[in-house]
Amino acid sequence: MKLGAYVCSTRGRDANKCFLVVEIIDENFVLIADGKSRKIEKPKKKKIKHLVVLGQGDEEISAKLQNKETVTNKQVYGAIKIKR
């Protein structure tokens, strides 16, 4: 699991919805956001075992997340929309 990875939830209320990984907490949990219903300011904590990695994600967003730079909800939503 990498920052900026394009993932899909398999469990919970958000099952079958797509997100980007915005932070890695530990080996079991990550924070995910989609830029629309789950904003970057308040990401969802999710178990890694309840996610399926669908792709690498956007290179620019991944670099910004690694460098602790600001990422907007519009950028996250746009990256997910392109992947669909």
Side-chain angles (χ1 to χ4, degrees):
M1 190 71 59
K2 295 183 180 181
L3 284 176
Y6 181 62
V7 296
C8 186
S9 174
T10 60
R11 300 276 192 257
R13 268 187 268 167
D14 57 6
N16 300 320
K17 291 185 181 176
C18 298
F19 300 91
L20 286 182
V21 176
V22 295
E23 187 177 332
I24 298 172
I25 299 173
D26 59 24
E27 64 275 351
N28 295 318
F29 291 95
V30 294
L31 295 178
I32 57 174
D34 67 359
K36 191 170 183 179
S37 62
R38 187 54 77 168
K39 305 285 185 181
I40 195 89
E41 296 85 20
K42 192 174 179 189
K44 179 172 180 68
K45 183 178 178 183
K46 192 80 171 171
K47 284 187 177 184
I48 292 175
K49 70 179 183 178
H50 295 159
L51 297 171
V52 174
V53 178
L54 300 176
Q56 179 59 26
D58 188 84
E59 299 275 334
E60 182 182 341
I61 292 175
S62 297
K64 283 186 174 186
L65 290 170
Q66 289 176 0
N67 295 329
K68 305 282 186 198
E69 295 177 22
T70 304
V71 178
T72 65
N73 289 310
K74 187 176 181 180
Q75 290 172 320
V76 172
Y77 183 71
I80 292 172
K81 192 173 179 181
I82 289 171
K83 282 286 191 179
R84 289 184 190 176

